[in-house]
Amino acid sequence: MTLSAIDWAIVAAYFLFSTGVGLLFTKKGGESLNEYFLSGRNVPWWLAGASMVATTFAADTPLVVTGLVASHGVAGNWLWWNMVMSGMLTVFFFARLWRRANVMTDVEFAEIRYSGAPARFLRGFRAIYLAIPINLIILGWVTRAMIKILTISLGVSPILAVGICFVITVIYAVAAGLWAVLWTDLIQFIVKMAAVIILAVYSVRAVGGIAMMKTKLAEHFGSGDAALSVMPVSFSNGGFHAYPWMPLMALGTFLSVQWWAAWYPGAEPGGGGYIAQRIFAARTERDGVLATLFFQVAHYALRPWPWIVTGLATVILYPNLADKESGYVKAFVDYLPTPWKGGLMAGFAAAYMSTVGTHLNWGASYLVNDFYKRFIRQSATQAHYVKVSRIATVCLFIASIGVTSQLSSVEQAWKFLLAIGAGTGLVLILRWYWWRINAWSEISAMVASFIVSIIAFQTVPQHFAAGDPNSDAAIMLVTVLVSTVVWLTVTFMTSPEPDEILESFYRRVRPGGRGWRRVAIKAGFGAEGVEGGILPWTNWIAGIVAVYSTLFGIGKLIFAQTSTGLIMLVIAAAAFTWISRSFRGKGSSGAGAETGRSVASRAQAAEIAAATALP
């Protein structure tokens, strides 16, 4: 593909603008670790939420979605759509608790919830585990996807092109920390959404319009429902039937197990990772909840359709591609005119840079705050820690280059991360709402999940045909079952956390509920329930309905099923109205308002943080 001078000018303008915005915050970000990693805890909800969405829109994401829909139709996206349930739990049950915890990273949580050597080990181990192997796998597959994009689209060295993106990202991520990441994320999200929408429009034109697309997709997949149905089941002969590519065992696992059992960056049960980092950075508890809610809606309901439409078009435009993911890039190369080619190249760069910027900053926060500062040098100046943070940021990306060469498939890396995180989800949820969880519960869940999933990856596929989704489901079920048995056994075989630790945590966070009743009464709070009572549960259900109804309604409108689409959007509007009313209601902290309890908790958290500061 040849880019015109106008295309290159657009790409250059994007790079210059991103660099300028990033460098604008260099002085502010360098003031302290709090500014460098959390933007002084002064981020409005809309900026934090946009950054969450931008981070999960990586260079690999459109390619993965294209591969899914080209192989299985629209419903192939249930591999990740099922995570809505987990995301809404974070919104209405965990975001406010994370904000009250008053920590810099989610792994720092270990030493306010647990005690002694196990807590120290858990914090240090998770810091290294998440910052290096897990973070590097993600950075590696994102870089691999960008290399694929550049290899197909440009006649320049992909290493050179990726290197330019890396250098610019490092300039602002290293210099200014999270402030730069947040503001460039916002700009990058706008650029890349505009780019993928334009590509979807041109892709539909290339196949002859929506009506022609539907006709040709029905021929390719065997029926229109098989291609365009949002559900991975069909209704015929008086009953529901699973498609061959999504047998009932796999579907049941995705819908009833994966969303709460598997840890995955951006969709952690109970929150965590860079989602938690944005919550910590939010101005208030309410901002943290609203940011997370915005993320769930934009991530699942608003963003996917341009990718899906283009992916479906590639089925018609390139029916014999062995590498179906590459169809997305081919459509861009073959059918976009100037200046839209330059715009989409800037969009791909934005997608890559937003994810890399976040993961570099997020990973460095673990290495510095939870390992270097906690265990190696505890009493240095803020300037020293910021300097070390910048060095750690550079080192992480250099290390990711080696991982990139070892990844053969983005989708396989995705599934591998889901598998090794399976079995840890339940303990990450219950640690907030059950006093009996201890540090050994988390440690044993992580170790068991990792070991069992590795063994399962080597043995389970041998009992299934190649590509059978039941294989992935079986790996998940085995890992979850064994890991759960292990961590529950370890929990009851080891001593609970000391009462003073449990009471300190409860005063700081005030989770409420039956699981903390004994501790709450002893601490003088009485048998208080989960804040908001039934309201968080109704909001959770309303949130799920709102997201799925919006997602499916937009799809119906795109494919000219207007009546059905409008009905779904009306249902979504009703669900959103319910949630918005609860935000305005008194005592509705389940939906994010700051009540007397949350204000008191923030004051108590500050006192406890000062009194119990770790050396």
Side-chain angles (χ1 to χ4, degrees):
M1 179 185 73
T2 301
L3 295 182
S4 70
I6 296 175
D7 293 319
W8 283 117
I10 291 172
V11 175
Y14 160 73
F15 282 144
L16 289 173
F17 190 61
S18 294
T19 304
V21 170
L23 293 178
L24 184 65
F25 293 96
T26 298
K27 181 178 180 181
K28 185 71 172 174
E31 291 177 358
S32 66
L33 282 186
N34 191 51
E35 291 289 347
Y36 193 82
F37 289 127
L38 296 180
S39 298
R41 301 185 192 268
N42 195 35
V43 179
W45 68 267
W46 51 268
L47 182 57
S51 179
M52 293 179 191
V53 185
T55 295
T56 54
F57 185 165
D60 66 290
T61 319
L63 276 63
V64 171
V65 171
T66 295
L68 291 173
V69 300
S71 300
H72 308 306
V74 173
N77 287 284
W78 277 101
L79 179 65
W80 63 285
W81 279 352
N82 68 82
M83 294 293 190
V84 169
M85 283 84 84
S86 177
M88 284 300 170
L89 278 181
T90 300
V91 174
F92 297 114
F93 287 91
F94 301 106
R96 61 189 174 86
L97 303 182
W98 275 121
R99 187 63 180 82
R100 293 177 193 175
N102 199 36
V103 292
M104 183 168 289
T105 69
D106 57 321
V107 300
E108 186 179 339
F109 174 89
E111 287 197 282
I112 67 167
R113 176 63 176 82
Y114 312 123
S115 64
R120 292 191 295 273
F121 170 79
L122 179 61
R123 180 178 178 181
F125 175 78
R126 280 186 67 82
I128 297 298
Y129 175 73
L130 295 177
I132 298 179
I134 299 300
N135 202 29
L136 293 183
I137 287 174
I138 298 169
L139 285 168
W141 87 44
V142 170
T143 302
R144 182 184 182 278
M146 191 63 181
I147 289 174
K148 178 188 287 189
I149 291 166
L150 295 171
T151 299
I152 296 172
S153 61
L154 294 178
V156 301
S157 165
I159 296 176
L160 173 63
V162 171
I164 293 171
C165 294
F166 158 62
V167 169
I168 293 174
T169 305
V170 167
I171 286 173
Y172 67 73
V174 169
L178 190 62
W179 273 121
V181 171
L182 291 171
W183 282 105
T184 52
D185 273 354
L186 178 63
I187 296 163
Q188 290 161 350
F189 178 61
I190 294 170
V191 169
K192 55 196 178 185
M193 278 306 300
V196 297
I197 290 171
I198 291 167
L199 178 58
V201 171
Y202 276 92
S203 297
V204 171
R205 288 183 183 177
V207 300
I210 288 292
M212 183 61 69
M213 173 184 277
K214 291 169 67 175
T215 300
K216 291 183 177 179
L217 287 172
E219 295 173 359
H220 179 87
F221 285 98
S223 71
D225 284 344
L228 301 178
S229 173
V230 294
M231 296 302 296
V233 293
S234 62
F235 183 81
S236 61
N237 299 322
F240 287 97
H241 305 279
Y243 290 117
W245 61 266
M246 181 60 78
L248 289 178
M249 176 177 146
L251 177 61
T253 301
F254 288 149
L255 296 182
S256 63
V257 177
Q258 179 175 293
W259 63 270
W260 59 262
W263 181 96
Y264 181 78
E268 301 89 342
Y274 51 79
I275 301 300
Q277 184 191 40
R278 302 310 193 264
I279 296 171
F280 304 151
R283 284 176 178 169
T284 65
E285 195 174 299
R286 185 175 185 274
D287 280 287
V289 176
L290 282 171
T292 316
L293 177 60
F294 174 81
F295 165 62
Q296 304 303 328
V297 175
H299 178 62
Y300 292 104
L302 303 181
R303 195 180 59 185
W305 281 110
W307 308 333
I308 293 171
V309 169
T310 302
L312 291 171
T314 66
V315 173
I316 302 166
L317 299 172
Y318 311 103
N320 299 315
L321 272 183
D323 180 3
K324 297 184 185 303
E325 293 179 357
S326 67
Y328 194 90
V329 187
K330 286 182 173 294
F332 145 55
V333 171
D334 293 341
Y335 296 102
L336 270 187
T338 297
W340 302 123
K341 283 185 178 179
L344 193 62
M345 283 306 303
F348 277 132
Y352 176 71
M353 292 163 64
S354 63
T355 301
V356 168
T358 284
H359 278 272
L360 292 177
N361 183 267
W362 173 56
S365 72
Y366 290 145
L367 294 178
V368 177
N369 183 67
D370 300 298
F371 193 79
Y372 182 81
K373 183 173 180 287
R374 177 65 185 92
F375 298 105
I376 297 177
R377 190 166 178 182
Q378 300 176 347
S379 302
T381 64
Q382 288 295 309
H384 173 79
Y385 291 131
V386 170
K387 179 180 178 180
V388 173
S389 300
R390 288 169 171 160
I391 294 172
T393 302
V394 175
C395 290
L396 279 173
F397 189 87
I398 293 173
S400 74
I401 296 173
V403 175
T404 301
S405 64
Q406 302 302 312
L407 296 178
S408 60
S409 167
V410 172
E411 185 176 341
Q412 287 304 311
W414 194 358
K415 291 179 179 179
F416 176 71
L417 271 193
L418 281 172
I420 64 174
T424 60
L426 188 58
V427 73
L428 296 179
I429 290 173
L430 290 180
R431 64 184 183 175
W432 290 99
Y433 288 103
W434 186 27
W435 69 273
R436 190 60 181 81
I437 299 291
N438 60 28
W440 291 112
S441 307
E442 281 200 47
I443 294 170
S444 60
M446 288 180 61
V447 172
S449 180
F450 184 82
I451 293 174
V452 173
S453 64
I454 294 295
I455 295 173
F457 248 99
Q458 299 298 318
T459 58
V460 170
Q462 300 174 14
H463 301 283
F464 296 90
D468 188 345
N470 280 329
S471 175
D472 298 326
I475 291 172
M476 170 117 359
L477 291 174
V478 168
T479 305
V480 170
L481 177 62
V482 175
S483 299
T484 301
V485 169
V486 168
W487 75 254
L488 280 172
T489 301
V490 169
T491 297
F492 289 109
M493 289 181 62
T494 54
S495 300
E497 299 299 334
D499 285 350
E500 59 269 22
I501 292 295
L502 296 174
E503 289 183 31
S504 172
F505 175 78
Y506 191 86
R507 290 179 184 277
R508 185 169 185 152
V509 177
R510 298 284 293 280
R514 291 181 178 273
W516 284 98
R517 181 163 296 180
R518 181 186 73 83
V519 177
I521 292 173
K522 188 173 180 180
F525 295 104
E528 60 183 6
V530 173
E531 193 170 347
I534 193 67
L535 186 59
W537 288 108
T538 61
N539 283 334
W540 179 64
I541 295 171
I544 295 170
V545 170
V547 168
Y548 283 138
S549 296
T550 304
L551 173 65
F552 302 155
I554 292 173
K556 295 297 182 183
L557 292 179
I558 289 173
F559 292 106
Q561 296 174 283
T562 307
S563 297
T564 305
L566 290 176
I567 290 171
M568 288 184 171
L569 292 181
V570 169
I571 294 171
F576 282 124
T577 299
W578 172 263
I579 294 171
S580 67
R581 284 172 58 86
S582 70
F583 269 97
R584 296 193 297 269
K586 293 181 180 180
S588 62
S589 68
E594 288 197 286
T595 62
R597 179 197 277 193
S598 64
V599 172
S601 291
R602 287 195 294 113
Q604 291 164 352
E607 294 174 4
I608 293 168
T612 63
L614 296 165

